[in-house]
Amino acid sequence: MTVQNKQRYRFSEAPIWNIQRKYYEEEGMKAWNNDQVPQYITSNPMIATAYAEMIFGFLQDRAHKDQSEPVFIVELGAGAGRLGHHVLQELCQLRDYAGISLPPFRYIMTDLVINNVLAWREHPALQSFIAEGLLDFARFDAVHDTVLNLVESGVTISEGDLKQPLIIVANYFFDSIPQELLYIGDGEMYEAEVFVEYPKGTDVLKPSKWLDQISLNYEYRRAPEYEQENYPYRNVIAMYQEELEDSHILFPAAGLTCLERLNQLSQAGFLLITADKGDHLLDQWKFAEPPELILHGSFSLTANYHAIQHVFEQRGAAVLFPPHHYKNINVGCIFNIDKPMDYANTRLAYRRSIERFGPDEFFSLKEWVDLNLESMGLQQILSFWRLGKYDAEFLIQSAKQISSLLPDANDEEKQDLLRGMQLMWSSYYVMEQRYDLALDAGLLLFEMDLYEESKNFLEISLHQSQDEVESTVYYCLSICCFELELDEEALKYIRKFLELEPDHKEALALLSHFELQPDLT
């Protein structure tokens, strides 16, 4: 290992953060291919539904206060865009189903990377929301920017422009932006400064490879600036000095100042809905070791929700986190608004959708399901699929097992599968790395003898995969058309199939059947 840079850095100013930024700028939407950067845990329909329930509760709580101005919902670091799509879809369904008077709302997807913003604008699944005026976009640098420049409407939201509280959605956000690294020993506050070691030539590698080669080493200096009365977060620092010993603290100064800048946009404060690998309990920071970079293309660290909670509670905010320990993802809600206890519908939605059973419990169950899928029956698969709000990824994962169970399925189970596929397709968000979901759905429906529905999905697959069509698609389409008495279409598909597999006996027999009919050519 050769030291390339012996200059010491504050942890928040270390080169790793510029490498992280460069990674996202270079990769764009491809950063989420193959879950290189994890997206499922924070972007699946189940967590989106929980968020939509809380946002809907908030709109209910605001209904008697002000309906003259939209409530803006700003998602920080929206990434692939999947979460925003699912939240908006569920929120619109709740609005339409309830049929009650609510303030209007606008969802703003933001990201540091302009190419992501441009990709969202063109995504087919988002076009209806754009047309309805429910969705806008902005490039937003969470470390520096003070305004939101909206792309679709051309509006700039600046300090004090909003009369309604701002809703902020921050998923896997605070763990991926710069943090300070502090150390507490013998009641003294130190800053843990870092220097970086990496082999020669590493700096010409792609950012993900570069991060993989990096080694961090820490040196400590006394940091009395954190103990000064004028330090804005002095109260929480004093608590750490009193309660902790031999502990490393990732301190979210950049995250806190980002929230404060966003808070300035509204005259009425904000509601924060956030999920992360983040600890809100002080005990989790006791005797904490120096942090290690969690690599996944980019990197992330543990978010310090305890500091964020403490700072805003001292300012009169109400904060909700689960009373139990989280395993994979911690979901919190901060009411930095006047009279937070008046927001009963929002708090009840948190209790229903997060505290009683939420995204963390769902993901723990999914990990078990992933390992035990082959032993599950059709009713168990259907039940878990419903729990996950008919997620497309689960159908892709379970299609083989469903197929093996279909010979013993009854009509009611087949109808439930069909309904699930229709709901799944209506909310499907195509990612950069495409998967032929229509093919899986079409083949399963074919096995259930639901020929009309199978034909619809298989023709979608055919249209989307014109250059790489599986021969099975043509054969199944020919059978669907034959069963539906669409003989001309059946003949067309059987001929295409035989071009790929000229010796297939069943297909040849079907072709002979058609050739005996004089009205078909």
Side-chain angles (χ1 to χ4, degrees):
M1 181 75 71
T2 302
V3 177
Q4 295 293 297
N5 194 332
K6 295 184 179 181
Q7 180 181 349
R8 288 178 11 175
Y9 299 91
R10 295 185 69 187
F11 189 73
S12 62
E13 298 170 356
I16 55 173
W17 301 106
N18 286 330
I19 300 172
Q20 171 109 310
R21 186 186 186 109
K22 185 178 179 183
Y23 169 81
Y24 283 110
E25 289 176 339
E26 288 185 1
E27 294 295 319
M29 290 298 221
K30 293 180 181 178
W32 292 272
N33 282 6
N34 295 315
D35 257 1
Q36 183 176 206
V37 175
Q39 56 82 27
Y40 179 84
I41 189 171
T42 55
S43 300
N44 63 73
M46 193 275 178
I47 190 172
T49 298
Y51 282 20
E53 291 279 359
M54 286 186 281
I55 294 169
F56 184 75
F58 188 82
L59 295 174
Q60 288 177 285
D61 290 327
R62 293 296 300 179
H64 67 283
K65 297 178 186 294
D66 186 4
Q67 296 195 31
S68 62
E69 181 184 280
V71 173
F72 283 88
I73 307 154
V74 175
E75 183 184 350
L76 302 175
R82 187 181 178 204
L83 175 71
H85 168 256
H86 286 311
V87 169
L88 264 175
Q89 187 165 62
E90 182 65 24
L91 190 56
C92 288
Q93 290 177 4
L94 288 169
R95 174 199 65 185
D96 297 343
Y97 187 85
I100 58 178
S101 178
L102 296 171
F105 57 87
R106 304 285 186 276
Y107 198 98
I108 313 298
M109 292 166 56
T110 76
D111 203 276
L112 171 69
V113 180
I114 187 60
N115 284 341
N116 291 350
V117 176
L118 298 176
W120 300 331
R121 294 187 73 191
E122 302 300 323
H123 198 290
L126 301 177
Q127 297 310 304
S128 63
F129 300 127
I130 296 172
E132 195 177 342
L134 297 177
L135 178 62
D136 213 323
F137 314 100
R139 182 192 178 277
F140 183 73
D141 184 336
V143 179
H144 301 108
D145 287 347
T146 58
V147 301
L148 288 168
N149 295 307
L150 305 188
V151 173
E152 294 295 329
S153 63
V155 170
T156 295
I157 302 175
S158 304
E159 181 176 342
D161 283 350
L162 304 180
K163 295 178 182 177
Q164 294 272 28
L166 186 68
I167 298 178
I168 303 169
V169 175
N171 267 20
Y172 268 32
F173 171 76
F174 294 109
D175 69 341
S176 300
I177 63 173
Q179 302 181 55
E180 309 299 342
L181 181 58
L182 308 179
Y183 174 76
I184 297 168
D186 297 326
E188 303 282 357
M189 180 63 61
Y190 297 84
E191 189 153 34
E193 297 183 323
V194 63
F195 65 88
V196 179
E197 294 182 355
Y198 48 88
K200 284 184 178 180
T202 307
D203 53 346
V204 302
L205 296 176
K206 291 180 71 66
S208 59
K209 299 295 184 182
W210 192 359
L211 286 170
D212 195 43
Q213 299 293 318
I214 278 177
S215 174
L216 303 181
N217 293 279
Y218 301 102
E219 295 185 10
Y220 303 88
R221 69 164 181 84
R222 279 282 289 120
E225 61 269 29
Y226 291 97
E227 302 171 359
Q228 302 299 315
E229 289 300 321
N230 62 353
Y231 181 66
Y233 311 118
R234 174 61 191 143
N235 285 343
V236 69
I237 294 296
M239 174 190 287
Y240 290 158
Q241 287 182 281
E242 182 177 341
E243 299 289 339
L244 301 179
E245 176 61 34
D246 190 20
S247 301
H248 293 79
I249 302 294
L250 284 164
F251 193 76
L256 285 164
T257 56
C258 174
L259 291 176
E260 289 167 351
R261 281 183 276 112
L262 289 171
N263 185 55
Q264 294 299 311
L265 301 181
S266 171
Q267 302 170 28
F270 66 76
L271 172 77
L272 172 67
I273 302 172
T274 181
D276 223 317
K277 307 183 305 293
D279 293 317
H280 67 282
L281 300 173
L282 183 62
D283 284 351
Q284 300 302 115
W285 296 98
K286 289 182 177 179
F287 304 107
E289 297 290 330
E292 295 184 5
L293 302 185
I294 302 171
L295 299 177
H296 36 63
S298 59
F299 73 88
S300 61
L301 298 161
T302 299
N304 187 346
Y305 277 144
H306 176 269
I308 296 172
Q309 172 177 344
H310 184 84
V311 166
F312 284 101
E313 280 185 334
Q314 291 293 304
R315 300 176 184 179
V319 180
L320 299 177
F321 276 100
H324 49 268
H325 295 86
Y326 80 98
K327 176 64 171 64
N328 297 289
I329 185 171
N330 198 7
V331 183
C333 193
I334 296 180
F335 297 75
N336 188 51
I337 47 184
D338 187 40
K339 298 180 180 179
M341 296 308 291
D342 287 354
Y343 290 77
N345 289 299
T346 316
R347 292 186 292 108
L348 286 169
Y350 181 89
R351 185 173 184 269
R352 289 192 307 269
S353 303
I354 305 298
E355 185 176 316
R356 291 179 64 188
F357 181 91
D360 188 43
E361 288 77 16
F362 173 75
F363 192 76
S364 294
L365 278 181
K366 187 178 183 301
E367 288 183 315
W368 182 91
V369 168
D370 291 347
L371 297 174
N372 294 275
L373 189 57
E374 292 183 0
S375 65
M376 293 174 66
L378 196 52
Q379 279 299 321
Q380 294 167 321
I381 290 173
L382 281 167
S383 296
F384 187 77
W385 199 24
R386 290 188 199 105
L387 182 64
K389 310 302 179 186
Y390 297 105
D391 179 40
E393 290 192 26
F394 185 64
L395 182 78
I396 293 167
Q397 186 179 1
S398 59
K400 182 178 179 181
Q401 177 66 2
I402 292 173
S403 177
S404 72
L405 297 168
L406 284 178
D408 297 320
N410 58 44
D411 290 342
E412 289 80 7
E413 290 169 330
K414 292 179 181 179
Q415 286 300 314
D416 285 347
L417 276 170
L418 171 61
R419 179 176 180 273
M421 289 180 199
Q422 291 168 335
L423 290 170
M424 170 199 69
W425 189 257
S426 70
S427 64
Y428 183 44
Y429 186 85
V430 178
M431 302 282 283
E432 177 75 17
Q433 179 187 351
R434 295 176 180 273
Y435 184 89
D436 199 343
L437 179 66
L439 177 61
D440 272 357
L443 293 178
L444 288 172
L445 292 166
F446 181 82
E447 292 181 57
M448 291 189 279
D449 300 331
L450 296 173
Y451 296 113
E452 183 174 358
E453 295 82 359
S454 174
K455 178 176 181 289
N456 291 338
F457 277 104
L458 291 175
E459 287 182 334
I460 292 171
S461 172
L462 189 63
H463 176 73
Q464 292 178 342
S465 310
Q466 293 181 10
D467 297 332
E468 299 179 358
V469 179
E470 292 189 28
S471 60
T472 305
V473 175
Y474 288 127
Y475 183 72
C476 291
L477 276 169
S478 69
I479 299 299
C480 288
C481 292
F482 176 75
E483 295 290 344
L484 296 170
E485 299 182 357
L486 302 171
D487 291 350
E488 290 187 8
E489 288 188 66
L491 180 60
K492 176 186 70 174
Y493 287 128
I494 202 66
R495 283 175 172 166
K496 287 184 176 293
F497 174 73
L498 286 168
E499 289 175 8
L500 300 173
E501 297 193 30
D503 299 324
H504 194 280
K505 292 181 179 180
E506 288 82 358
L508 289 169
L510 188 58
L511 179 63
S512 298
H513 166 80
F514 289 127
E515 288 177 341
L516 292 174
Q517 301 182 48
D519 56 332
L520 291 178
T521 60

